[in-house]
Amino acid sequence: MTFEKDSSAGYLANHMARLFAAGLHRRIRPLGLSPGQFPALVALWAKEGRTQKELVQLLDIEQATLANTLARMERDGLITRRASEEDGRVQEIFLTDKAKVLEKEAIASAIAQNGEALEGFSEREKAQFLDFMHRAISAMQKAQTGSSR
């Protein structure tokens, strides 16, 4: 049995993810943003006041990874944390004005990167490709949940 990277879904997905991240970084770097911050920003642009626990679940990333990302975002003046009015032990995360004004251009950058990646795909192929990706992600999440939690 041999490993052929060109027929390995994992290898190709990882390669594509690295290219996406590099392309997104090139586009959002002038805004002072990094690809690691982007998912948290998207979630907070959609709804501020989320807790770190909510973001971990929503973004499906490790607690420690998100904690480090949020610390850098706070240091860079993109977010603030405030005690919840309902439970003072819980901190809610809010965007600063600096982060709010970046939304339109950052989202446009992500859309441009997606467009570059899917150039030459028909609308039907784009929909099918995204469907395949969602199905693969779902299958792996089910397997992970069933075996490790």
Side-chain angles (χ1 to χ4, degrees):
M1 184 172 181
T2 60
F3 178 81
E4 297 290 333
K5 67 180 185 174
D6 291 335
S7 60
S8 167
Y11 178 88
L12 292 172
N14 182 275
H15 189 189
M16 185 172 56
R18 286 184 286 122
L19 291 170
F20 263 107
L24 181 63
H25 188 229
R26 177 176 36 86
R27 293 172 191 276
I28 64 175
R29 182 180 334 137
L31 303 175
L33 301 176
S34 70
Q37 297 168 332
F38 197 74
L41 284 169
V42 169
L44 292 168
W45 284 323
K47 180 185 174 203
E48 288 190 79
R50 295 179 191 270
T51 65
Q52 188 168 318
K53 181 178 179 180
E54 289 173 318
L55 287 172
V56 163
Q57 293 169 342
L58 181 67
L59 302 176
D60 195 19
I61 61 175
E62 295 293 323
Q63 169 74 23
T65 301
L66 182 62
N68 289 332
T69 299
L70 292 174
R72 283 190 304 275
M73 291 172 71
E74 192 168 29
R75 177 201 69 201
D76 295 344
L78 297 170
I79 63 164
T80 60
R81 302 179 212 219
R82 296 195 297 253
S84 167
E85 291 180 10
E86 296 172 10
D87 182 348
R89 298 170 297 172
V90 174
Q91 293 215 329
E92 296 172 334
I93 303 161
F94 293 87
L95 296 167
T96 63
D97 290 341
K98 177 181 177 180
K100 289 176 184 177
V101 300
L102 297 174
E103 179 181 6
K104 186 176 181 179
E105 196 170 349
I107 295 295
S109 296
I111 290 169
Q113 183 58 39
N114 280 301
E116 181 180 290
L118 300 177
E119 187 175 324
F121 284 50
S122 70
E123 290 304 313
R124 182 173 175 257
E125 288 170 330
K126 288 177 190 177
Q128 188 175 32
F129 180 70
L130 294 173
D131 179 58
F132 290 157
M133 291 175 72
H134 284 290
R135 288 168 47 191
I137 290 166
S138 178
M140 289 186 286
Q141 285 174 329
K142 285 181 187 172
Q144 186 179 38
T145 302
S147 64
S148 67
R149 293 182 185 173

